[in-house]
């Protein structure tokens, strides 16, 4: 396990009155009885595994104890997102180099008193210290995490002491991988943290500044971590790997066409797109974490074998329990959401991510009523 770090005394939540205590209890009862489901033994013991350099691009479901040895010159990233108060339903995380969390620690945060939010954050922080098997933890917030937004970037570690790097529209180099992260997202949910026009503009401006730096010869981004799909930033930065969440029904691994700088030219490349939302579309934490082996930054620069996927490779849709991810139909829309789900059966259709080759935002906006 990662070494747990005690929270500092910088943040002291306000005390709850009797009315706050009653209302918080009622909200929690409502959430547990009407919304939140339970994990399964299968999801607590399994993970999905993908190697960035695998030209076949198959993400394989396996027991966490059966993960293959990490390839040379790679960084093993263990990723999950959107646990919505149910992080303990995921069990003990697989071992790796970096644990990444993609936002939405809380569920209906707008309802709770600040002290209740702080208590829930403490439980998440304790879980990071006891259930994560990585020496480094990278985290962003999500639209349900208004507590983090109000706390402010500089004070988050006073509550989330087991987070090594909390990212908010900035870059950080971790384990020889260059990350850029943003908690920005959009949708119709009443949980609107990090979704204001000003915040989304700040995310765009930060990514544009980073893009300009790369065009001037700066180091490219290896991993883009965002809460929502953030297509414009993906197209701008063309990361080798994009880790995101927010849209639970798009859980899975897909290939996305992007262009990146090669010398002074923009050339077609590919981005491995990984959505590890733990919650399925029924708000049950049945989607296991995703383990990604990523070629480290220096090796990716010097390797003659470009680790990026080739353009035109079929999309992959997640089918938990199937062993290997199914390939989506070819074409710009992978057959459409109804046809894709219809080609699967039972629990497969429930857990299947609906892949799209190019702009995921188009599908997100069409299905925005399903975005939490």
């Amino acid at each position: 396990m990662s070494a747990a770090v005690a929270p500092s005394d910088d943040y002291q939540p306000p005390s709850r009155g009797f009315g706050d205590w009653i209302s918080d209890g009622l909200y929690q009862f409502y959430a547990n009885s009407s919304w939140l489901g339970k994990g399964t033994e299968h999801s607590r013991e399994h993970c999905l595994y993908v190697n960035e350099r695998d030209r076949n691009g198959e993400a394989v479901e396996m027991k966490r104890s059966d993960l293959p040895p990490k390839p040379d010159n790679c960084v093993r990233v263990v990723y999950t997102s959107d646990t919505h108060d149910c992080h303990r339903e995921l069990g003990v995380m697989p071992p790796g180099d970096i644990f990444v969390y993609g936002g939405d620690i809380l569920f209906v945060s707008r309802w709770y008193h600040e002290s209740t939010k702080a208590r829930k954050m403490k439980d998440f922080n304790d879980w990071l210290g006891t259930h994560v098997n990585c020496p480094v933890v990278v985290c962003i917030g999500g639209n349900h995490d208004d507590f983090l937004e109000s706390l402010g970037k500089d004070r988050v570690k006073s509550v989330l002491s087991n987070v090594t790097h909390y990212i908010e529209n900035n870059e950080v180099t971790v384990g020889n991988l260059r990350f850029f992260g943003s908690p920005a997202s959009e949708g119709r949910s009443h949980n609107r943290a990090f979704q204001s026009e000003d915040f989304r503009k700040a995310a765009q401006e930060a990514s544009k500044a980073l893009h300009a730096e790369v065009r001037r010869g700066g180091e490219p981004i290896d991993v883009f971590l965002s809460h929502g799909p953030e297509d414009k930033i993906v197209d701008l930065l063309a990361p080798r790997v994009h880790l995101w969440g927010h849209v639970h029904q798009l859980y899975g691994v897909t290939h996305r066409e992007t262009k990146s700088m090669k010398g002074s030219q923009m050339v077609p490349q590919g981005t491995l797109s990984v959505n590890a939302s733990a919650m399925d579309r029924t708000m049950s934490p049945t989607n296991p974490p995703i383990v990604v082996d990523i070629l480290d930054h220096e090796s990716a620069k010097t390797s003659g074998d470009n680790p990026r996927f080739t353009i035109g490779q079929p999309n992959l849709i997640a089918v938990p329990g199937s062993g290997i991810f199914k390939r989506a139909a070819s074409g710009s829309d992978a057959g459409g959401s109804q046809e894709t789900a219809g080609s699967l059966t039972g629990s497969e259709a429930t857990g299947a991510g609906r892949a799209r080759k190019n702009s995921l935002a188009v599908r997100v906006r069409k299905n925005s009523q399903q975005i939490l």
Side-chain angles (χ1 to χ4, degrees):
M1 305 296 174
S2 59
V5 179
S8 74
D9 296 327
D10 294 343
Y11 172 77
Q12 296 296 329
S15 58
R16 286 189 299 175
F18 181 74
D20 298 320
W21 185 83
I22 292 295
S23 62
D24 284 359
L26 290 173
Y27 291 147
Q28 189 66 60
F29 175 79
Y30 171 73
N32 290 341
S33 61
S34 302
W35 281 91
L36 301 177
K38 298 291 184 181
T40 64
E41 182 178 352
H42 181 90
S43 62
R44 283 188 286 267
E45 294 181 351
H46 288 71
C47 65
L48 302 178
Y49 170 75
V50 62
N51 185 339
E52 181 206 6
R53 302 187 71 188
D54 182 3
R55 294 290 184 172
N56 293 324
E58 289 183 338
V60 182
E61 186 178 60
M62 62 180 65
K63 281 194 171 184
R64 298 175 190 183
S65 58
D66 293 336
L67 277 166
K70 184 181 69 175
D72 292 340
N73 302 322
C74 282
V75 178
R76 177 156 291 181
V77 170
V78 179
Y79 178 50
T80 192
S81 179
D82 295 78
T83 52
H84 294 289
D85 289 342
C86 294
H87 42 273
R88 293 192 179 275
E89 292 292 321
L90 302 184
V92 177
M93 291 292 101
D97 299 309
I98 305 173
F99 177 76
V100 178
Y101 188 85
D104 276 2
I105 299 168
L106 303 179
F107 179 44
V108 283
S109 63
R110 70 186 189 278
W111 288 351
Y112 292 117
H113 188 267
E114 185 177 345
S115 64
T116 300
K117 299 175 190 179
R119 177 175 54 81
K120 288 174 176 289
M121 284 291 174
K122 180 182 182 303
D123 185 72
F124 177 75
N125 187 62
D126 291 345
W127 176 78
L128 291 176
T130 57
H131 286 67
V132 169
N133 283 300
C134 300
V136 176
V137 175
V138 175
C139 177
I140 60 173
N143 63 296
H144 284 248
D145 300 325
D146 65 350
F147 178 82
L148 298 182
E149 184 177 42
S150 61
L151 193 62
K153 176 183 174 182
D154 294 336
R155 299 182 68 201
V156 166
K157 286 201 67 176
S158 67
V159 175
L160 297 182
S161 55
N162 288 317
V163 171
T164 316
H165 300 279
Y166 176 76
I167 308 179
E168 192 174 298
N169 294 345
N170 63 285
E171 60 182 288
V172 63
T173 298
V174 187
N176 206 7
L177 289 178
R178 195 178 188 205
F179 281 77
F180 176 75
S182 175
S185 65
E186 58 183 327
R188 294 183 181 178
S189 169
H190 292 293
N191 297 283
R192 302 303 301 271
F194 305 109
Q195 289 188 339
S196 69
E197 182 177 346
D198 287 345
F199 188 87
R200 291 184 56 79
K201 182 178 180 181
Q204 293 286 341
E205 292 302 319
S207 64
K208 289 177 181 177
L210 189 54
H211 174 67
E213 177 188 325
V214 173
R215 289 187 69 96
R216 292 192 298 268
E219 297 294 326
I221 289 297
D222 300 303
V223 180
F224 173 40
L225 170 63
S226 63
H227 184 59
E230 301 308 305
D231 288 347
K232 291 181 179 179
I233 298 179
V234 175
D235 289 337
L236 189 66
L237 298 181
R240 289 190 285 132
V241 178
H242 178 208
L243 306 177
W244 59 292
H246 187 50
V247 192
H248 301 173
Q249 64 269 29
L250 290 181
Y251 170 87
V253 179
T254 62
H255 170 258
R256 178 192 177 92
E257 294 181 7
T258 52
K259 294 181 179 181
S260 63
M261 291 295 298
K262 187 174 183 180
S264 60
Q265 301 294 319
M266 294 293 291
V267 297
Q269 296 286 4
T271 293
L272 184 68
S273 180
V274 181
N275 180 325
S277 298
M279 290 292 185
D280 60 23
R281 65 181 63 209
T282 68
M283 288 303 290
S284 297
T286 60
N287 292 332
I290 300 179
V291 178
V292 189
D293 280 336
I294 305 174
L295 193 65
D296 69 53
H297 186 82
E298 293 303 319
S299 298
K301 287 169 53 178
T302 59
S303 175
D305 177 23
N306 191 316
R308 295 178 183 268
F309 289 102
T310 54
I311 294 300
Q313 179 172 332
N315 293 318
L316 309 172
I317 10 179
V319 185
S322 67
I324 297 179
F325 279 28
K326 303 292 186 183
R327 291 189 182 278
S330 60
S332 63
D333 199 20
S337 60
Q338 292 183 346
E339 295 176 10
T340 303
S343 66
L344 309 174
T345 60
S347 61
E348 292 183 337
T350 300
R354 291 176 294 179
R356 184 179 180 87
K357 180 180 286 187
N358 292 313
S359 176
L360 287 170
V362 173
R363 186 178 298 279
V364 168
R365 284 191 287 271
K366 288 181 179 178
N367 295 279
S368 58
Q369 72 276 11
Q370 298 174 335
I371 297 175
L372 297 172

